[in-house]
Amino acid sequence: MKYGFAQRVRYMRSSAVRDILKVANKENVISFAGGMPDEDLFPVEAVRHAFDKALTSGNKTLQYGETEGVMELREILVDRMMKKGIHRKAEDILVTSGSQQAIDLFSRIMFNPGDIVLTENPTYLAALQVFNSYEVNIVPVKSDNDGMIQEDLEEKIVRLKPKCIYVVPTYSNPDGKVWSLERRKHLLALANKYHVVIFEDDPYGDLQFDSAEKVPPLASMDDNKYVLYTSTFSKTVVPALRTGWIVGPHQIIRLMAQAKQATDLHTNSLSQHALIHLMNDFDIDNHIQTLISAYRERMYIMKGLLDSVDNDEISYVTPRGGMFLWVNLPKQVNTTKLLTTAVDHGVAYVPGAPFYVKKPNQNTLRLNFTNAKPDQIKLGMERLVSVIGDGSLLP
Amino acid sequence: MKYGFAQRVRYMRSSAVRDILKVANKENVISFAGGMPDEDLFPVEAVRHAFDKALTSGNKTLQYGETEGVMELREILVDRMMKKGIHRKAEDILVTSGSQQAIDLFSRIMFNPGDIVLTENPTYLAALQVFNSYEVNIVPVKSDNDGMIQEDLEEKIVRLKPKCIYVVPTYSNPDGKVWSLERRKHLLALANKYHVVIFEDDPYGDLQFDSAEKVPPLASMDDNKYVLYTSTFSKTVVPALRTGWIVGPHQIIRLMAQAKQATDLHTNSLSQHALIHLMNDFDIDNHIQTLISAYRERMYIMKGLLDSVDNDEISYVTPRGGMFLWVNLPKQVNTTKLLTTAVDHGVAYVPGAPFYVKKPNQNTLRLNFTNAKPDQIKLGMERLVSVIGDGSLLP
């Protein structure tokens, strides 16, 4: 039987990350390929108590719930957002099935086929997947380590009239970048000047290695007109609950809730009730400090071994937070081809190519430093260094 | 700020059911408007044990999971489907965030704007919402109490070349209808003859009042070529977990999984693990019998009070399962207008209009008999009967 599918299927691509994860699941392979937190650091006892409390607090907890999300959870989020300088009301928050769904619902109410979105390049793979599935025209803006280059950004806004600028400005995936304050302000000024909506994807903002660093979210400098801000409990509590949120202009949030109604009615409300108890009873900020200490240590182990390679053509920027270290290898290297060699040597990474909008830099790769233990990182990086440090193994 | 939204937003409509639920939440109003199970019948202890087991069975349970769903849960579903005569493999199942998401993901990979879907009329409101959001052209097929009328169905298949036929053939929402075996077979024969995909939405099939009744799902008579079958744990376990599934031809399921990856990565996996324990440790079929006894009793109380009205122009079909009783009032009555009077009398229902594809029968209404307790049903129906039985109150 030959089925007639929607045109948009042609633009959907399976996540290369997931396909590679399957390869990397071989025994004895140390994988830096995924984007997973360390499950041994999960606050399991706190989650268990929270669920127990939710499950003994009345049967309503298990009934159908409001599409917008459980009000008490939204109020907790209002408080947490306020600590980041984002002053919004509970009505401007939509609880989503992970922040991935926030990207999807936003796209659904925003984009017609052919609409233009400006992005960094490389950028979050699964956001590209969503935009592609809505047949959006994704246009990359030139960027350096401080964020998008102002001239290129303004030129593209004026010429292409994008509907949205999608950014991961803080400890980004894949390249661990942090936008400077100046670039943040400039982006907002352009959004105001040309009336362009900004989608600020911030799953990693809480994983900030130096507590003295000042990285105000874009949303904290916006008058709730142009910035949609999304984050998640996946990195700070656990991923399995698939609970994230998005906050922004009420008109947009309201339409997204309407779209969500048709998509999945509402987010798992038992998990929402459990998260309410967890946020009330558990010191999440202290837990985040534990995560930061562990992840920072692992990042430095990874960095130390990278530094041991004596090759000027290998470069990277030291992550100041988040989960990823992005490496540039010598220009002639193709990391997709090199992956087989790496896996043969017992180590896996994600080639950089799928994170690029159009023509990829084939000599890039992404390393995750949060999932593997320090010993494993050391061993895995020794293996990786033997591959990238040994000219004979490079294609 | 004026935002530029996607065209599809024009076709999205907020669920009238949900808006009315807000009205009906007034104190002292007995509501038959929702579509909720009775939370006092939830197997809370079993759910609690299941979550406790899931939360003590290793931290992996709380990590990111597979988009397709936890394999062990899919295997349990294979067994349950087999008992319904649906013989499929675990690879042909996708676990979804409620069966609502199954409708959405299917639509996403299937429909281009302008594509045609044939439906019953009236039919499930939130399926119409999804189809509208994909700018699908929904065409109703003439139906009677046994299902779609064969001649009209074939004529429309031949003339309109629909991409899909969407049906709720067993204890349907809103009108509690059950398709006859003959009509089921005929629908399948036409699907085979003209190569049309059938979407069988079956959230209520387990709530079968007479265990001797034979209502084989369409999927049980299909060679896994034309029928997509979706169901959910929302009515038999609890709705809060937002866990459903869809089973069908692998090519379609695989593409839906790809779409799901971009939509929400995967369904809440802690809930999936808890459901595995629940299905293994708890006698779900016995629990379903408890639900059936309670719901059947309530339906008969409702029916009894309806029968007390001395008006030949009021008609309904006695539900043989499910959650809804569908009533036809005298032709001149407009149930949307009548709702205010009913709420003033302390009772709420859902007007039939939003369940229709195009021109509605304004004299219809839907009553839910599962959420209210027997006493409440009696009292609420007395109130409703005073409204519909008293000619002076009818507009």
Side-chain angles (χ1 to χ4, degrees):
Chain A
M1 166 78 184
K2 202 172 163 296
Y3 304 99
F5 293 112
Q7 278 200 15
R8 68 179 71 82
V9 164
R10 287 190 292 161
Y11 303 97
M12 280 168 23
R13 39 180 188 181
S14 182
S15 162
V17 174
R18 296 188 82 94
D19 292 346
I20 287 160
L21 275 174
K22 285 178 192 162
V23 176
N25 272 341
K26 280 187 196 170
E27 222 179 322
N28 299 326
V29 174
I30 294 171
S31 177
F32 304 131
M36 293 189 285
D38 182 357
E39 58 249 27
D40 288 341
L41 297 174
F42 287 164
V44 180
E45 270 314 294
V47 172
R48 207 156 77 89
H49 283 297
F51 270 90
D52 205 56
K53 223 162 160 178
L55 280 161
T56 48
S57 66
N59 295 10
K60 278 273 181 209
T61 303
L62 292 167
Q63 189 55 280
Y64 282 108
E66 266 192 275
T67 301
E68 291 78 2
V70 177
M71 184 46 97
E72 208 178 329
L73 181 60
R74 285 188 278 153
E75 278 160 1
I76 288 169
L77 290 170
V78 165
D79 283 349
R80 280 198 79 75
M81 293 296 91
M82 209 179 307
K83 287 182 191 155
K84 288 180 180 289
I86 304 172
H87 298 267
R88 300 289 183 274
K89 292 176 187 157
E91 306 93 85
D92 298 338
I93 295 184
L94 175 67
V95 176
T96 55
S97 302
S99 63
Q100 183 70 32
Q101 194 189 39
I103 306 175
D104 184 57
L105 294 173
F106 173 78
S107 300
R108 181 181 294 223
I109 62 146
M110 222 45 165
F111 300 132
N112 293 311
D115 276 351
I116 286 169
V117 176
L118 302 183
T119 67
E120 299 161 274
N121 198 28
T123 190
Y124 176 46
L125 180 58
L128 296 179
Q129 272 187 289
V130 176
F131 299 147
N132 278 322
S133 82
Y134 288 94
E135 302 170 59
V136 163
N137 191 355
I138 307 167
V139 179
V141 176
K142 280 182 199 147
S143 304
D144 60 19
N145 288 330
D146 291 327
M148 287 178 175
I149 306 287
Q150 311 188 355
E151 295 67 30
D152 192 52
L153 176 58
E154 183 157 12
E155 189 275 326
K156 280 176 175 148
I157 291 176
V158 172
R159 181 163 55 85
L160 300 171
K161 301 197 179 13
K163 221 165 198 179
C164 167
I165 305 167
Y166 170 84
V167 287
V168 192
T170 312
Y171 320 128
S172 83
N173 179 1
D175 60 358
K177 178 189 291 179
V178 187
W179 282 45
S180 69
L181 184 58
E182 191 205 342
R183 295 284 178 86
R184 286 170 193 251
K185 285 184 176 166
H186 192 263
L187 174 64
L188 283 164
L190 291 178
N192 271 276
K193 184 171 175 190
Y194 297 107
H195 307 295
V196 188
V197 169
I198 296 169
F199 192 102
E200 180 177 25
D201 191 359
D202 188 32
Y204 312 107
D206 280 334
L207 300 176
Q208 174 175 338
F209 292 166
D210 175 2
S211 60
E213 188 173 35
K214 290 271 176 281
V215 276
L218 297 167
S220 72
M221 299 183 278
D222 174 53
D223 200 19
N224 204 17
K225 267 187 172 166
Y226 295 103
V227 180
L228 278 289
Y229 174 94
T230 184
S231 192
T232 175
F233 289 108
S234 294
K235 322 299 177 191
T236 51
V237 183
V238 297
L241 305 186
R242 312 300 311 122
T243 310
W245 66 92
I246 183 163
V247 56
H250 187 68
Q251 204 189 338
I252 296 177
I253 295 295
R254 193 178 49 80
L255 271 176
M256 285 178 65
Q258 218 165 300
K260 183 171 168 67
Q261 210 180 84
T263 304
D264 63 1
L265 298 184
H266 63 81
T267 296
N268 190 310
S269 40
L270 177 61
S271 290
Q272 291 185 63
H273 283 284
L275 281 167
I276 292 167
H277 293 297
L278 185 113
M279 297 301 281
N280 285 335
D281 300 346
F282 175 66
D283 188 344
I284 181 83
D285 291 311
N286 187 49
H287 175 65
I288 290 172
Q289 286 310 316
T290 307
L291 296 179
I292 287 173
S293 302
Y295 294 161
R296 186 176 42 204
E297 181 201 353
R298 295 175 194 194
M299 184 276 288
Y300 276 112
I301 295 172
M302 194 170 256
K303 176 183 156 65
L305 279 142
L306 262 184
D307 288 342
S308 73
V309 184
D310 183 23
N311 187 334
D312 290 348
E313 291 180 277
I314 295 177
S315 66
Y316 65 91
V317 175
T318 305
R320 280 137 65 191
M323 299 170 58
F324 303 109
L325 200 158
W326 180 254
V327 186
N328 294 280
L329 294 186
K331 284 251 175 335
Q332 72 278 13
V333 179
N334 180 318
T335 57
T336 307
K337 290 182 186 162
L338 189 67
L339 182 58
T340 317
T341 311
V343 170
D344 287 347
H345 280 72
V347 63
Y349 56 79
V350 189
F355 297 97
Y356 284 91
V357 178
K358 276 153 193 169
K359 198 171 163 293
N361 291 354
Q362 294 285 8
N363 60 323
T364 55
L365 61 86
R366 190 192 75 176
L367 300 173
N368 167 267
F369 52 75
T370 61
N371 189 248
K373 305 285 179 289
D375 283 358
Q376 294 286 299
I377 293 192
K378 198 162 168 292
L379 184 59
M381 285 304 293
E382 282 165 3
R383 292 174 182 174
L384 186 64
V385 163
S386 80
V387 173
I388 63 175
D390 178 355
S392 70
L393 289 169
L394 296 178
Chain B
M1 167 76 185
K2 202 171 164 296
Y3 304 99
F5 293 112
Q7 278 201 15
R8 67 179 70 84
V9 164
R10 288 190 291 161
Y11 303 96
M12 281 168 23
R13 38 181 189 184
S14 183
S15 161
V17 174
R18 296 188 82 96
D19 293 345
I20 286 161
L21 276 173
K22 285 178 192 163
V23 176
N25 273 341
K26 280 187 196 171
E27 223 179 322
N28 298 326
V29 174
I30 294 171
S31 178
F32 304 133
M36 294 189 284
D38 182 357
E39 59 248 28
D40 289 341
L41 298 174
F42 288 164
V44 181
E45 269 314 293
V47 172
R48 206 155 77 89
H49 284 296
F51 270 91
D52 206 55
K53 223 163 159 176
L55 281 160
T56 48
S57 67
N59 294 12
K60 278 273 181 207
T61 303
L62 293 166
Q63 189 55 279
Y64 282 108
E66 265 192 275
T67 300
E68 291 79 1
V70 178
M71 183 47 95
E72 208 177 329
L73 181 60
R74 286 188 279 154
E75 278 160 2
I76 287 169
L77 290 170
V78 165
D79 283 349
R80 281 198 79 76
M81 293 297 90
M82 211 180 303
K83 287 182 190 154
K84 289 181 180 289
I86 304 171
H87 298 266
R88 301 288 184 273
K89 293 177 187 156
E91 306 92 84
D92 298 338
I93 295 185
L94 175 68
V95 176
T96 54
S97 302
S99 63
Q100 184 69 32
Q101 193 189 40
I103 306 174
D104 183 58
L105 294 174
F106 172 79
S107 300
R108 181 181 294 223
I109 62 147
M110 223 43 167
F111 300 132
N112 294 311
D115 276 351
I116 286 169
V117 177
L118 302 183
T119 67
E120 298 161 274
N121 198 28
T123 190
Y124 175 47
L125 178 59
L128 295 179
Q129 272 187 288
V130 176
F131 299 148
N132 278 321
S133 81
Y134 288 95
E135 302 170 61
V136 163
N137 191 356
I138 307 166
V139 179
V141 175
K142 281 183 198 145
S143 305
D144 61 19
N145 289 330
D146 291 328
M148 286 177 175
I149 307 286
Q150 310 188 356
E151 294 69 29
D152 192 52
L153 175 58
E154 183 155 13
E155 189 274 325
K156 280 176 175 149
I157 290 176
V158 171
R159 181 163 53 86
L160 300 172
K161 303 198 178 13
K163 221 163 199 182
C164 167
I165 305 167
Y166 170 84
V167 287
V168 192
T170 312
Y171 320 128
S172 83
N173 179 2
D175 61 358
K177 181 188 291 180
V178 187
W179 282 45
S180 70
L181 184 59
E182 192 204 343
R183 295 286 178 86
R184 286 169 194 251
K185 284 183 176 166
H186 192 263
L187 175 63
L188 283 164
L190 290 178
N192 271 275
K193 185 171 174 190
Y194 298 107
H195 308 296
V196 188
V197 170
I198 297 169
F199 192 101
E200 180 177 25
D201 191 0
D202 188 32
Y204 312 108
D206 280 334
L207 300 175
Q208 175 175 336
F209 292 166
D210 176 1
S211 60
E213 188 173 35
K214 291 269 176 283
V215 277
L218 296 166
S220 72
M221 300 182 278
D222 174 52
D223 200 18
N224 204 16
K225 267 187 172 166
Y226 295 103
V227 180
L228 277 290
Y229 174 95
T230 183
S231 192
T232 174
F233 289 108
S234 293
K235 322 299 178 190
T236 51
V237 183
V238 296
L241 304 186
R242 313 299 311 120
T243 309
W245 66 94
I246 184 162
V247 55
H250 187 68
Q251 204 189 340
I252 297 177
I253 295 295
R254 194 177 48 82
L255 271 177
M256 286 178 66
Q258 216 165 302
K260 183 170 168 68
Q261 210 179 84
T263 304
D264 63 1
L265 297 185
H266 64 82
T267 296
N268 191 309
S269 41
L270 176 61
S271 290
Q272 291 186 64
H273 283 284
L275 282 166
I276 292 166
H277 293 298
L278 185 114
M279 296 301 281
N280 286 336
D281 300 346
F282 176 67
D283 188 343
I284 181 83
D285 291 310
N286 187 50
H287 174 66
I288 290 171
Q289 286 309 316
T290 307
L291 296 178
I292 288 173
S293 302
Y295 294 161
R296 186 175 43 204
E297 182 201 352
R298 296 175 193 194
M299 184 275 288
Y300 275 113
I301 294 171
M302 194 169 255
K303 176 183 155 68
L305 279 141
L306 262 184
D307 288 343
S308 73
V309 183
D310 184 21
N311 187 334
D312 290 349
E313 292 180 276
I314 296 177
S315 67
Y316 66 91
V317 175
T318 305
R320 281 138 64 191
M323 299 171 57
F324 303 110
L325 200 157
W326 180 253
V327 186
N328 294 280
L329 294 186
K331 284 252 175 334
Q332 71 279 12
V333 179
N334 179 318
T335 57
T336 307
K337 290 181 185 162
L338 190 66
L339 183 58
T340 316
T341 311
V343 170
D344 287 346
H345 281 72
V347 64
Y349 56 80
V350 189
F355 297 97
Y356 284 91
V357 177
K358 275 153 193 168
K359 198 171 163 293
N361 291 354
Q362 294 285 9
N363 61 323
T364 54
L365 60 86
R366 190 193 76 176
L367 300 173
N368 166 268
F369 52 74
T370 61
N371 188 248
K373 306 284 177 292
D375 284 358
Q376 294 286 299
I377 293 191
K378 198 161 169 293
L379 184 58
M381 285 305 293
E382 283 166 4
R383 292 174 181 174
L384 185 65
V385 163
S386 81
V387 174
I388 65 177
D390 178 354
S392 71
L393 288 172
L394 295 179

